[in-house]
Amino acid sequence: MIRRGMLWLLLLGVLCLLPACGGKEGLCGRVFVFGKADAILITNGEHAVLMDTGTAEAEETVLAALDRCGITKLDALIITHFDQDHIGSAPAVLQHVDVERIYQPEYEKESKPFDCYQTALEAYSGELCSVTRKESVLIGAMTFVLRPPKETGGVRSSNDSSLVTELYYGKTSFLLPGDAAEQRLQELLADEIGTFDVLKVPHHGIGEKSSGAFIAMVSPAYAVLTVPDETYADPEVMEALYAVGARVQCTCTGTVLYRSDGMNIHVSTEIQT
């Protein structure tokens, strides 16, 4: 048993040293550990996409994580919404990494992090795409389906302005809904978006009236919470996840790593020391 355990640890260590989190084939998704903040790196061979960037205070950690994965260029940076725990390190990323394209929702926010992000965009020479209608983006062998909030004409919160992303690789699927709150959850339920293999739990596990129905519809085999500790998520959210049989990971103990070969998904956690 000891030898087998040591072999597994060695294999995991080797896998983590591979460039861009993987070899020529397969999809790798890293949900980084930054407390109550989102930063998710998705790679397929030489292609790389970063979804959100964590807080400004974590910029050195974000850049170091990208460097460890061998990332010098991003095919795309997807900004789900403009809260500080999602765009805080975006200026640093844009300064140090070659970003080909940015996808973001179309709204503005009065805040210092948003102002810093807008200043960084003034020096950005890539393509800036404000997503106003559902669109599909092919990057490598990965398909990203971007779902902007519906145009209701009313006032909505920043969380409910989240750009929701569906990610498909082979027969495997991931749902990345940013900080979608009640209004966005109702929209996704109305659209009957269906089931997904992996769910990034919306808004760090904070419960909404529609959380149970939303999780039941998605019915994930795996779920990940971007939280500072294991007790942060609301009990009703956890109960809904366990009710559908989801295997739940959280970033409070380490970076959560998902690997897909197009048919199967393997999950592990890189424990922080």
Side-chain angles (χ1 to χ4, degrees):
M1 290 295 292
I2 295 177
R3 290 182 178 177
R4 185 177 181 183
M6 290 179 65
L7 180 60
W8 165 244
L9 288 173
L10 178 61
L11 176 59
L12 180 58
V14 171
L15 287 173
C16 291
L17 290 173
L18 289 172
C21 306
K24 294 293 184 181
E25 305 297 334
L27 175 146
C28 175
R30 283 179 186 265
V31 187
F32 290 118
V33 50
F34 296 127
K36 190 188 78 65
D38 281 16
I40 303 171
L41 177 65
I42 305 159
T43 59
N44 169 226
E46 298 178 350
H47 298 283
V49 175
L50 181 65
M51 177 173 291
D52 290 333
T53 66
T55 63
E57 293 75 15
E59 67 175 43
E60 291 186 5
T61 309
V62 173
L63 294 177
L66 294 177
D67 185 62
R68 283 196 303 273
C69 288
I71 302 299
T72 59
K73 178 182 178 181
L74 291 168
D75 293 81
L77 170 62
I78 300 175
I79 299 294
T80 61
H81 62 301
F82 301 132
D83 284 4
Q84 61 89 22
D85 54 336
H86 292 253
I87 65 166
S89 290
V93 170
L94 292 175
Q95 183 178 359
H96 291 88
V97 180
D98 179 16
V99 179
E100 183 175 333
R101 187 175 293 110
I102 298 174
Y103 295 97
Q104 64 181 32
E106 188 177 53
Y107 78 102
E108 296 183 351
K109 183 176 182 178
E110 294 184 3
S111 72
K112 183 178 178 180
F114 180 75
D115 290 343
C116 291
Y117 174 59
Q118 291 299 110
T119 300
L121 288 180
E122 293 176 4
Y124 174 63
S125 59
E127 183 178 356
L128 178 63
C129 305
S130 293
V131 183
T132 58
R133 61 182 180 180
K134 178 182 174 182
E135 61 178 279
S136 295
V137 179
L138 181 64
I139 299 176
M142 306 177 291
T143 300
F144 294 81
V145 178
L146 307 177
R147 289 180 173 268
K150 296 185 182 299
E151 296 182 7
T152 60
V155 176
R156 65 169 68 218
S157 69
S158 182
N159 288 335
D160 274 324
S161 299
S162 288
L163 180 63
V164 174
T165 300
E166 303 170 19
L167 167 60
Y168 300 94
Y169 179 74
K171 294 185 178 298
T172 59
S173 57
F174 302 74
L175 182 62
L176 309 164
D179 277 358
E182 180 63 21
Q183 189 175 4
R184 286 296 277 135
L185 296 184
Q186 288 184 8
E187 290 172 355
L188 296 172
L189 284 165
D191 287 343
E192 298 180 344
I193 61 173
T195 62
F196 290 82
D197 297 310
V198 179
L199 170 67
K200 200 288 292 187
V201 180
H203 201 193
H204 318 287
I206 295 174
E208 303 284 351
K209 290 181 180 179
S210 298
S211 292
F214 171 75
I215 291 171
M217 175 186 67
V218 176
S219 192
Y222 301 95
V224 60
L225 291 151
T226 51
V227 292
D229 60 69
E230 293 180 345
T231 63
Y232 189 88
D234 287 337
E236 59 266 32
V237 171
M238 299 304 297
E239 291 171 5
L241 290 169
Y242 291 135
V244 298
R247 179 179 171 184
V248 182
Q249 281 78 30
C250 72
T251 57
C252 58
T253 55
T255 293
V256 180
L257 174 63
Y258 293 95
R259 292 182 182 276
S260 169
D261 60 6
M263 294 293 294
N264 302 293
I265 293 173
H266 302 279
V267 60
S268 60
T269 300
E270 297 178 350
I271 304 299
Q272 304 300 295
T273 58

